[in-house]
């Protein structure tokens, strides 16, 4: 278990380094992450590298036996580079060059930027590739977060990308449907980028492919960076910090293939939640690292109102570990009193004195001495999955069927319903092998190709249970509407035909009535269903389409397929999730209250249960079996009480 902090030695006078490292050791830290924003200090002038100060810092790390995750700057370029190549700056959708002075403002497709960034990576890999304290390499910072560029460099490379994908102008014209509005092209140099238009939107096929292209651009450069370290530092793992599902610039499933270990930033509870942790674990189907764990309140717009309650920092740390994290590094050691993140707090405050947060994290450091050897080799094993697709989300964002139907928000309704029932969940790529799961949820999988459709139908036919929602599979791989509304194989799997589909006005509501007499609110979207083989679970209960089936269940092969044809209140989602789990024989990890989150890590011989009270009120529930408390070694059975933001970690040996 790696436990530590993000630290920026270039920000502080050298006299502060040694006291900082000494205090870090008091907190129980064994790793720090450094350097991801330090290009201007590492190469202050073109070709002139200064590693002497970094060598002095590493010498101190050696004195305190502190492992180093070495960051590699790439996208925050020094002023001399942007001065030499002014067209390195991003060209915005509006046609304006971004100004130097912020971050992530350079074009990833500029032909010279990559050469300079790779040269810096090679210098660092050569110098530190065999350093005994350099444990791993962290490539830049937050790939996938940055502005999309619409410059000529991007257009040239986009054309090459399209040539490789389609092969001919005729195939491209057909895939995008460019006959519409007389947009057909006869030569590759007629390709345009989707910059700002006066009123109407760009062609959806163009939008989809440009998004794919930019995701590919990011992955290709990260791959090129990774190759440097695999050659010059082959024994040190490679990672980079991914972000929450609020970010969807880059397909993280593809980016994860380039990395040895997936890492994430984690700043709950607003823009991040435990679904993001489960996504990280699912990207490579293995444990992950948290390299920016929230300590104090994050800055920028929040400015302090997300200050953690006593116990909250500790709880979120164990939430990360309970979902599969094998490393937790807090952001950051102390806040900067200068620059753009002055209000982004850290463990210490500006005065560098030990405080409440430091003492709480130090408690975690002490506890991890007992926990780390127990969780070593354990993983999270989920019986349930949610299908998650960047491609589908891009399509939905470009041409949404309803302004109040958002991909992430809708997916999280199912995720949190599963979490409230204390079931662990993977977030899987649509092409993943599904047979290890008992239930797979498919919410708003707007864009779907034939391979994905076949994969789902095969899974159900072989005994799986699918919960499939409205608008899933409505678009094909080219972002064009499927003419049959549902692909034939999905239609057979669901046992229905969608006779008509339409959006409701934002203020309009309806109700659905279940076969057992329960009424639930529905809104935003209506699918009117014709039944072929399916059983009707609920029908619309008002308006001109009263009596039409809204929710169905079909037995297909050895499995079951639910269809939800409307946007429903959370209470109905809770009921359908519960029914699907029960049908498939999925049991809760523990029977705990909703405010208590429960996860489990196992190696097949022992199971470690993480029980976390996310509320500011005490919680309690009864255990049906006997467990051992990790920290005090005592037997725990019967009533389990947990204080506000409290954590109990229990061991069960098989």
């Amino acid at each position: 278990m790696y436990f530590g902090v993000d630290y920026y030695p270039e920000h502080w006078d050298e006299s502060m380094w040694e006291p900082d490292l000494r205090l870090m050791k008091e907190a129980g830290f064994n790793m720090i992450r450094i350097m991801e924003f330090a290009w201007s200090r590492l190469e202050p002038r073109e070709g002139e590298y200064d590693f002497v100060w970094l060598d002095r810092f590493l010498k101190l790390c050696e004195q305190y036996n502190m492992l180093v995750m070495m960051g590699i700057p790439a996208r925050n370029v020094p002023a001399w580079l942007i001065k030499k190549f002014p067209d390195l700056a991003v060209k915005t959708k509006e046609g304006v060059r971004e100004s130097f002075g912020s971050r992530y403002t350079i074009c990833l497709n500029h032909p010279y930027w990559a050469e300079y960034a790779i040269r810096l990576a090679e210098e660092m890999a050569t110098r530190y590739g065999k350093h005994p304290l350099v444990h791993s390499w962290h490539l830049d910072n937050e790939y996938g977060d940055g502005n999309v560029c619409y410059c000529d460099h991007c257009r040239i490379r986009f054309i090459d990308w399209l040539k490789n994908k389609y092969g001919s102008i005729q195939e491209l014209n057909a895939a995008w449907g460019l006959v519409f509005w007389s947009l057909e092209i006869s030569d590759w140099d007629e390709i345009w980028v989707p910059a700002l238009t006066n009123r109407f939107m760009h062609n959806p096929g163009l939008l989809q492919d440009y998004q794919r292209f930019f995701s590919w651009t990011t992955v290709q450069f990260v791959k090129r960076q990774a190759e440097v370290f695999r050659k010059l530092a082959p024994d040190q793992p490679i990672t980079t910090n991914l972000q929450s599902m609020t970010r969807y610039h880059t397909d993280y499933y593809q980016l994860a293939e380039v990395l040895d270990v997936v890492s994430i930033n984690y700043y709950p509870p607003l823009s991040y939640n435990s679904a993001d942790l489960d996504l990280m674990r699912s990207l490579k189907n293995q444990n992950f690292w948290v390299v920016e764990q929230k300590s104090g309140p994050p800055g920028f717009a929040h400015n302090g109102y997300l200050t953690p309650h006593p116990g909250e920092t500790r709880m979120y740390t164990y939430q990360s570990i309970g979902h599969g994290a094998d490393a937790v590094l807090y952001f950051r050691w102390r806040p900067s009193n200068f620059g753009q993140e002055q209000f982004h707090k850290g463990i210490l405050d500006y005065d560098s004195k030990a405080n409440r947060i430091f003492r709480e994290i130090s408690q975690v450091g002490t506890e991890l001495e007992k926990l780390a050897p127990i969780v070593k080799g354990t993983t999270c094993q989920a019986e349930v999955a949610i299908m998650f697709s960047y491609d589908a989300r891009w399509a939905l964002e470009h041409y949404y069927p309803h302004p109040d139907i958002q991909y992430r928000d809708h997916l999280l309704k199912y995720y949190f319903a599963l979490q409230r029932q204390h079931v662990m969940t993977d977030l899987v790529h649509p092409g993943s092998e599904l047979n290890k799961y008992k239930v797979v949820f498919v919410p708003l999988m707007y864009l779907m190709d034939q391979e994905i459709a076949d994969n789902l139908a095969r899974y159900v036919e072989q005994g799986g249970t699918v919960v499939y929602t409205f608008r899933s599979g409505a678009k094909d791989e080219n972002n064009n509407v499927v003419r049959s509304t549902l692909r034939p194989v999905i239609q057979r799997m669901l046992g229905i035909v969608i006779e008509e589909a339409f959006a409701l006005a934002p203020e309009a509501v309806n109700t659905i009535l279940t076969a057992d007499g329960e009424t639930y609110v529905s809104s935003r979207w209506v699918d009117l269903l014709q039944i072929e083989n399916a059983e009707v679970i609920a029908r619309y209960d008002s308006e001109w389409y009263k009596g039409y089936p809204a929710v169905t269940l079909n037995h297909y092969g050895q499995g079951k397929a639910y269809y939800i044809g409307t946007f429903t209140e959370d209470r109905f989602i809770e009921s359908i999730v519960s029914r699907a789990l029960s049908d498939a024989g999925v049991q809760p990890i523990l029977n705990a209250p909703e405010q208590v989150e429960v996860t489990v890590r196992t190696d097949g011989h022992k199971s470690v249960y993480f029980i976390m009270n996310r509320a500011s009120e005490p919680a309690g529930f009864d255990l049906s079996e006997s467990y051992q408390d990790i920290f005090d070694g005592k037997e725990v059975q019967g009533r389990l009480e947990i204080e506000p933001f409290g954590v109990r970690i229990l061991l069960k040996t098989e």
Side-chain angles (χ1 to χ4, degrees):
M1 177 67 65
Y2 303 111
F3 186 57
V5 67
D6 300 327
Y7 188 68
Y8 299 91
E10 69 272 21
H11 290 181
W12 313 113
D13 187 88
E14 288 194 28
S15 64
M16 301 174 70
W17 292 352
E18 197 273 340
D20 283 342
L21 287 165
R22 187 189 320 124
L23 203 55
M24 290 177 196
K25 292 305 289 187
E26 288 183 23
F29 293 160
N30 58 25
M31 178 180 280
I32 54 174
R33 181 181 71 139
I34 62 174
M35 290 294 104
E36 71 271 15
F37 286 118
W39 192 339
S40 65
R41 287 294 177 93
L42 295 170
E43 191 181 5
R45 288 164 294 280
E46 182 179 353
E48 296 180 19
Y49 297 99
D50 181 5
F51 296 116
V52 176
W53 64 274
L54 179 54
D55 291 340
R56 290 197 298 269
F57 180 73
L58 291 178
K59 190 69 176 176
L60 281 174
C61 291
E62 191 172 359
Q63 180 180 331
Y64 284 91
N65 195 27
M66 188 73 71
L67 295 174
V68 173
M69 181 182 292
M70 184 70 79
I72 303 298
R75 292 177 302 148
N76 268 53
V77 303
W80 58 259
L81 187 56
I82 199 81
K83 181 181 179 180
K84 184 171 185 176
F85 302 109
D87 65 339
L88 187 58
V90 161
K91 189 175 185 180
T92 67
K93 200 169 191 176
E94 294 77 17
V96 177
R97 289 283 181 188
E98 289 211 351
S99 170
F100 178 78
S102 186
R103 65 178 185 177
Y104 316 144
T105 60
I106 55 94
C107 172
L108 298 186
N109 289 306
H110 193 284
Y112 294 116
W113 161 75
E115 301 308 316
Y116 281 84
I118 291 298
R119 190 176 69 185
L120 175 63
E122 290 171 342
E123 291 286 338
M124 296 186 73
T126 300
R127 190 174 186 93
Y128 301 113
K130 296 183 180 179
H131 194 288
L133 288 184
V134 176
H135 169 273
S136 48
W137 295 95
H138 184 281
L139 306 183
D140 202 61
N141 184 71
E142 298 174 353
Y143 276 117
D145 190 13
N147 296 333
V148 176
C149 186
Y150 300 87
C151 73
D152 288 340
H153 298 302
C154 293
R155 178 177 171 272
I156 291 168
R157 201 173 182 199
F158 181 47
I159 291 171
D160 287 340
W161 185 86
L162 291 172
K163 287 179 180 178
N164 288 329
K165 179 174 181 178
Y166 291 104
S168 71
I169 292 293
Q170 292 75 19
E171 287 294 325
L172 175 64
N173 280 324
W176 289 2
L178 291 181
V179 65
F180 197 81
W181 284 355
S182 191
L183 296 177
E184 289 170 299
I185 62 173
S186 57
D187 201 305
W188 290 108
D189 66 8
E190 295 171 0
I191 291 289
W192 68 103
V193 296
L196 186 67
T197 52
N198 186 35
R199 179 182 177 189
F200 294 102
M201 295 180 72
H202 278 287
N203 176 278
L206 166 66
L207 291 172
Q208 192 73 14
D209 271 342
Y210 203 67
Q211 187 80 59
R212 289 165 173 162
F213 161 70
F214 248 87
S215 176
W216 173 87
T217 293
T218 300
V219 173
Q220 289 302 112
F221 179 73
V222 175
K223 183 177 181 180
R224 188 175 171 187
Q225 261 192 322
E227 287 170 352
V228 170
F229 296 99
R230 294 211 167 95
K231 177 182 178 181
L232 299 175
D235 298 325
Q236 297 161 327
I238 299 164
T239 191
T240 191
N241 52 334
L242 311 184
Q243 294 178 287
S244 76
M245 283 189 282
T246 60
R247 308 296 204 275
Y248 52 96
H249 171 288
T250 299
D251 187 327
Y252 281 164
Y253 291 103
Q254 295 176 5
L255 185 55
E257 293 178 7
V258 181
L259 308 174
D260 296 321
V261 183
V262 167
S263 296
I264 186 177
N265 301 343
Y266 193 51
Y267 296 98
L270 289 188
S271 59
Y272 288 79
N273 58 67
S274 57
D276 300 305
L277 301 175
D278 288 337
L279 174 60
M280 295 303 115
R281 189 186 65 245
S282 304
L283 292 177
K284 292 179 77 72
N285 196 27
Q286 67 183 39
N287 290 356
F288 58 95
W289 295 344
V290 179
V291 296
E292 290 188 23
Q293 176 83 30
K294 175 184 172 182
S295 53
F300 299 114
H302 304 315
N303 289 340
Y305 70 78
L306 289 177
T307 297
H309 290 73
E312 197 173 359
T313 297
R314 174 176 177 263
M315 183 202 70
Y316 283 127
T317 301
Y318 284 122
Q319 186 185 56
S320 293
I321 297 170
H323 283 264
D326 282 344
V328 174
L329 279 64
Y330 297 95
F331 188 88
R332 51 190 290 174
W333 179 240
R334 77 166 63 78
S336 177
N337 61 321
F338 51 84
Q340 287 92 325
E341 295 187 20
Q342 294 180 28
F343 298 120
H344 200 310
K345 295 294 186 70
I347 297 173
L348 305 183
D349 213 324
Y350 301 98
D351 60 10
S352 300
K353 295 179 181 178
N355 56 22
R356 171 179 67 89
I357 298 294
F358 175 82
R359 289 188 290 272
E360 191 170 308
I361 289 174
S362 297
Q363 177 188 346
V364 176
T366 300
E367 292 168 344
L368 284 179
E369 292 179 8
K370 296 180 180 179
L371 178 62
I374 295 173
V375 297
K376 183 178 180 179
T378 64
T379 58
C380 300
Q381 302 295 325
E383 295 182 308
V384 175
I386 297 176
M387 192 168 282
F388 180 71
S389 168
Y390 288 93
D391 219 22
R393 183 171 184 178
W394 295 333
L396 192 68
E397 297 287 341
H398 294 148
Y399 275 76
Y400 50 80
H402 192 287
D404 296 327
I405 297 175
Q406 300 296 321
Y407 184 81
R408 174 178 177 264
D409 293 346
H410 194 66
L411 182 147
L412 288 178
K413 287 177 177 291
Y414 288 87
Y415 176 85
F416 287 131
L418 289 163
Q419 188 177 73
R420 286 190 292 270
Q421 298 191 42
H422 307 301
V423 171
M424 296 205 70
T425 305
D426 286 345
L427 280 85
V428 298
H429 185 271
S432 299
E433 174 57 55
L434 302 176
N435 285 340
K436 72 175 183 176
Y437 301 107
K438 293 183 177 180
V439 187
V440 175
F441 292 84
V442 188
L444 278 182
M445 262 286 295
Y446 194 47
L447 184 147
M448 185 181 294
D449 61 22
Q450 188 63 47
E451 187 176 341
I452 296 170
D454 291 341
N455 190 32
L456 277 168
R458 185 167 54 249
Y459 164 72
V460 176
E461 193 170 24
Q462 294 173 356
T465 296
V466 157
V467 179
Y468 193 98
T469 79
F470 65 97
R471 296 290 83 191
S472 292
K475 292 285 196 85
D476 67 15
E477 60 272 27
N478 296 314
N479 206 3
N480 298 319
V481 173
V482 176
R483 297 176 73 177
S484 58
T485 308
L486 291 171
R487 289 181 180 271
V489 67
I490 296 295
Q491 187 169 298
R492 291 192 298 272
M493 178 188 82
L494 297 172
I496 59 169
V497 173
I498 298 177
E499 178 182 328
E500 192 172 346
F502 53 89
L504 294 177
E507 69 277 6
V509 295
N510 201 332
T511 55
I512 57 173
L513 180 65
T514 65
D516 57 5
E518 287 287 328
T519 300
Y520 299 92
V521 175
S522 66
S523 60
R524 306 184 193 184
W525 191 263
V526 170
D527 280 347
L528 302 183
L529 309 180
Q530 291 182 350
I531 301 301
E532 292 192 327
N533 301 304
E535 164 195 347
V536 177
I537 291 178
R539 297 179 184 272
Y540 296 104
D541 199 34
S542 63
E543 296 296 334
W544 59 267
Y545 46 90
K546 179 178 181 178
Y548 266 93
V551 183
T552 60
L553 168 62
N554 188 44
H555 294 264
Y556 181 73
Q558 301 177 57
K560 296 179 179 180
Y562 290 84
Y563 187 74
I564 303 173
T566 185
F567 188 97
T568 68
E569 63 171 296
D570 291 352
R571 197 167 57 92
F572 179 77
I573 292 175
E574 196 85 34
S575 71
I576 207 75
V577 165
S578 179
R579 177 170 175 168
L581 295 179
S582 178
D583 284 353
V586 177
Q587 299 296 318
I589 301 168
L590 293 173
N591 291 307
E594 285 188 3
Q595 75 191 70
V596 173
E597 180 180 346
V598 181
T599 65
V600 60
R601 292 176 56 153
T602 183
D603 62 5
H605 302 290
K606 63 178 180 292
S607 297
V608 184
Y609 295 81
F610 294 77
I611 305 167
M612 298 154 284
N613 181 9
R614 299 190 305 267
S616 56
E617 301 295 330
F621 64 99
D622 293 323
L623 296 169
S624 60
E625 297 182 70
S626 176
Y627 301 83
Q628 181 186 4
D629 188 285
I630 290 288
F631 298 135
D632 64 19
K634 294 180 180 179
E635 183 182 9
V636 181
Q637 57 183 346
R639 189 71 177 172
L640 185 71
E641 300 289 346
I642 315 177
E643 70 272 14
F645 303 111
V647 178
R648 299 294 298 271
I649 304 179
L650 307 180
L651 174 65
K652 186 79 172 176
T653 304
E654 304 299 332

